[in-house]
Amino acid sequence: MKVSGGGPHQSKTMMLADLGAVLAAEAELQPDKVIIGENLLGKPSSRAREAAAYYLRQLYGLGDTPPAVSRALFALWRRDPVGRPLLALLCAIARDPSLRGGAAAVLDGKVGEQIRSPAIAAAFEAEHPGRLGLNMANSLARNAASSWTQAGFLAGAVRKLRSRPKVTPTAAAYAALLAQLAGFGGQTLLESRWLDVLDRPAEDRMALLRQAEGLGLARVRSAGHVVEIEVRRPMAETLGIPGLVHR
């Protein structure tokens, strides 16, 4: 999880279709071979191929030694076709501070409300004052708006309106994993920005995590006002990724 600095969204979107093509080819451990060597993504030049491989590595941890969070993404992607856009967005948010920095403009918007690119740029500026010049901030905002559209949070080619994404128990478990890795637990995990990405109220978030428990991806316990949510260990055991616990 990248805490600070720039990120791919200053130049690219979340590249959802490209990620899907690489994972469909089961080439996440050898992205350069298929993206650069075989031009799997149909890029027009060697420079474009190299750029695509670079940005996909930055966004999703593709390569021969992917971090545990990326390995979890790859495994969950194959289990949950419906949840893929949200799974990819969550990983991109975790690994790209530039996308994460402007998220409030979208997450805090109401369904049907128009979300303009300048609002995303302003949200990033509020989080990171003076970090980007005007042109770079505008580029970031446009790319971020495209990514939020790919993930189902915005609808419309030009006039972007806030919409509801498709949310699955698997995506909820992945959001909870990221929240837990960021230091959240119990009720604060449910209320964290990571779970805000599910775009559902607290009771629905809990219901989704209980469904994820049935898939072996979470453990949820609640008694009165005390809530316990454990994701790292059950997900590590179910997916065979010990690095989720031992890191």
Side-chain angles (χ1 to χ4, degrees), residues 1 5 62-63 70 82 91-92 106 113 127 148 152-153 161 169 179 184 186 190 199 212 220 222:
M1 194 177 299
L62 303 183
S70 297
V82 174
C91 187
V106 178
E113 177 184 351
E127 287 283 323
W148 289 105
F153 286 79
L161 301 180
F184 293 96
L190 279 177
D199 204 28
V220 181
S222 61

Side-chain angles (χ1 to χ4, degrees), residues 51-216:
Y54 172 78
Y55 287 120
L56 285 169
R57 286 195 298 270
Q58 292 292 305
L59 284 165
Y60 303 111
L62 303 183
D64 56 2
T65 56
V69 164
S70 297
R71 292 186 61 198
L73 167 68
F74 306 151
L76 295 173
W77 178 280
R78 295 189 168 100
R79 287 169 166 254
D80 184 16
V82 174
R84 287 172 180 175
L86 189 52
L87 288 167
L89 179 76
L90 283 161
C91 187
I93 289 173
R95 293 180 57 84
D96 186 351
S98 61
L99 176 62
R100 190 165 65 245
V106 178
L107 295 178
D108 294 342
K110 297 180 180 179
V111 172
E113 177 184 351
Q114 184 175 2
I115 306 296
R116 295 178 171 86
S117 292
I120 298 176
F124 182 88
E125 174 65 18
E127 287 283 323
H128 308 285
R131 177 169 295 177
L132 297 180
L134 179 60
N135 289 340
M136 186 59 74
N138 288 337
S139 175
L140 164 62
R142 287 192 298 270
N143 290 329
S146 175
S147 291
W148 289 105
T149 302
Q150 292 173 53
F153 286 79
L154 300 177
V158 178
R159 189 169 182 265
K160 302 288 188 183
L161 301 180
R162 183 69 159 82
S163 56
R164 283 255 189 263
K166 293 181 179 178
V167 180
T168 64
T170 299
Y174 192 57
L177 170 68
L178 296 174
Q180 194 170 17
L181 291 172
F184 293 96
Q187 189 65 34
T188 62
L189 184 150
L190 279 177
E191 297 169 353
S192 72
R193 219 35 166 166
W194 297 103
L195 275 289
D196 284 349
V197 180
L198 301 180
D199 204 28
R200 297 294 188 273
E203 59 271 21
D204 290 355
R205 300 176 190 188
M206 180 65 87
L208 285 162
L209 289 173
R210 290 194 184 282
Q211 292 176 57
E213 185 173 25
L215 301 174

Side-chain angles (χ1 to χ4, degrees), residues 27 30-40:
Q30 296 180 304
D32 288 357
K33 178 177 181 291
V34 297
I35 297 172
I36 299 174
E38 301 172 9
N39 197 18
L40 173 71

